[in-house]
Amino acid sequence: MDKDTHINGQERHQGSDTKFIPMGSITSGSGREAAKDVYYYTDQIVNVIFIGDPEDGKWVLVDAGLPNAAEEIKNVAADRFGSGSKPEAIILTHGHFDHVGGIVDLVNEWEVPVYAHKLELPYLTGQERYPKPDPTVEGGLLAKISPIYPIEPTQLGDAVHPLPDDHTVPGLTEWSWIHTPGHAPGHVSLFRERDRLLIAGDAFTTVRQDSFYKVLTQKQEVHGPPRYLTTDWDASRESVKKLAALKPETAVTGHGVVMSGKELADGLQHLADHFDEVAVPDFGRYVDRRNKKDEQ
Ligand SMILES: [Zn+2]
Ligand SMILES: [Zn+2]
């Protein structure tokens, strides 16, 4: 779509192909604290994160779950921060359907600003759709059903803003955002130096996302980004290295359970050191370019 035809302030809507996706895991519908003020809630298979101390009542939401997640997110927020409480802002790690599912309803209800990396804005302002997920990629059932995943852009109009250039995170004092592209062009992770807590979005995961069985049971291990939606494996590798270099103590990812300590350190370092073997699929639409380059 031509940029000039986009009118800010027009009616917000989810992508036109948005629909309920029948996926689940054993942790779906439950939540857990990664720190006193960092709580994550699992919506079907994806984590929604609430940053803020329930005692002072100020908080920020990170990501917005799968389609139709808004009600559930509002209920969790009310339980944790009190009814009628709304966040200072919503931060999106990226705009994939499983991270923006409830966003339009939430913004309509709360009227709070949404922030994402500037390279992600075309997908959030109705301008660009994501490349098609790759059902032929090496990696199981979730990849095979990926043609049903919504890719049409979300339209948030003037409710969505670029993250500040100085890497601060609106609504949060101790956090900074880090550009971690590869899985999506404007993918970001959030980091807090004080306790080395990392929110990694889909830059890496702690469950093998292309294995239906492991998603179901949430078996905990450090893995690369979900394969079927990752289009730039070179950038993705560099992003994982960047995050490993931060030496996070705790990581909450978009998919999987919280990990910390030596298990996280060893797993993340192994992923960074052996990314091509363990994360990059052996075949698939978006690995051809890389293979060609390697042959040169
Ligand atoms: Zn994603
Ligand atoms: Zn995801």
Side-chain angles (χ1 to χ4, degrees):
M1 193 189 290
D2 190 325
K3 253 186 190 160
D4 298 335
T5 62
H6 164 66
I7 304 151
N8 269 349
Q10 76 185 58
E11 202 179 327
R12 298 166 193 145
H13 60 78
Q14 299 286 158
S16 55
D17 56 348
T18 293
K19 56 186 159 312
F20 178 76
I21 306 294
M23 294 196 272
S25 67
I26 53 164
T27 51
S28 177
S30 63
R32 193 167 153 187
E33 279 182 353
K36 185 169 175 277
D37 62 346
V38 178
Y39 179 80
Y40 73 94
Y41 177 82
T42 308
D43 166 41
Q44 296 181 253
I45 58 152
V46 69
N47 295 324
V48 177
I49 300 137
F50 301 77
I51 305 180
D53 189 334
E55 278 164 29
D56 81 351
K58 281 202 171 169
W59 59 286
V60 159
L61 181 72
V62 182
D63 288 346
L66 279 156
N68 306 335
E71 264 329 291
E72 218 173 327
I73 292 171
K74 281 188 266 179
N75 288 339
V76 175
D79 281 352
R80 190 161 172 84
F81 299 100
S83 66
S85 169
K86 61 181 189 177
E88 305 292 305
I90 302 172
I91 314 293
L92 297 175
T93 59
H94 61 305
H96 283 158
F97 75 97
D98 52 332
H99 298 254
V100 302
I103 193 72
V104 168
D105 286 346
L106 292 176
V107 170
N108 287 343
E109 167 92 10
W110 288 332
E111 292 293 343
V112 294
V114 179
Y115 293 89
H117 190 277
K118 59 177 183 273
L119 293 176
E120 211 64 8
L121 295 187
Y123 309 102
L124 297 166
T125 52
Q127 294 172 47
E128 247 174 78
R129 70 171 64 89
Y130 285 106
K132 281 194 170 53
D134 183 2
T136 67
V137 75
E138 178 197 9
L141 185 65
L142 290 179
K144 286 199 178 63
I145 68 162
S146 65
I148 70 165
Y149 300 159
I151 53 168
E152 292 294 330
T154 308
Q155 172 56 282
L156 289 171
D158 53 12
V160 66
H161 311 274
L163 280 159
D165 288 337
D166 64 2
H167 292 261
T168 55
V169 181
L172 297 174
T173 51
E174 299 176 301
W175 293 78
S176 54
W177 63 264
I178 303 151
H179 188 204
T180 43
H183 176 65
H187 187 286
V188 296
S189 305
L190 306 180
F191 187 64
R192 179 165 66 184
E193 185 79 38
R194 171 164 66 77
D195 54 358
R196 313 201 78 71
L197 207 161
L198 174 69
I199 292 173
D202 286 358
F204 67 91
T205 61
T206 59
V207 65
R208 183 151 179 170
Q209 196 59 25
D210 51 272
S211 158
F212 182 73
Y213 172 75
K214 287 182 176 167
V215 167
L216 195 68
T217 57
Q218 298 279 290
K219 183 172 163 33
Q220 183 187 38
E221 359 178 90
V222 175
H223 284 284
R227 286 177 168 180
Y228 40 86
L229 290 171
T230 301
T231 49
D232 187 339
W233 288 98
D234 290 330
S236 179
R237 181 194 314 108
E238 293 316 304
S239 291
V240 165
K241 287 186 174 167
K242 206 190 269 187
L243 294 179
L246 292 174
K247 305 216 173 299
E249 173 59 30
T250 307
V252 179
T253 52
H255 305 275
V257 292
V258 60
M259 277 181 80
S260 61
K262 186 169 160 47
E263 202 175 18
L264 171 66
D266 291 352
L268 188 53
Q269 197 55 51
H270 185 264
L271 180 66
D273 292 343
H274 305 274
F275 190 82
D276 288 8
E277 297 140 63
V278 300
V280 181
D282 287 340
F283 53 87
R285 188 183 291 157
Y286 300 114
V287 284
D288 295 347
R289 187 183 57 81
R290 194 189 133 264
N291 289 344
K292 273 189 205 113
K293 203 172 71 184
D294 285 353
E295 282 161 19
Q296 281 167 8

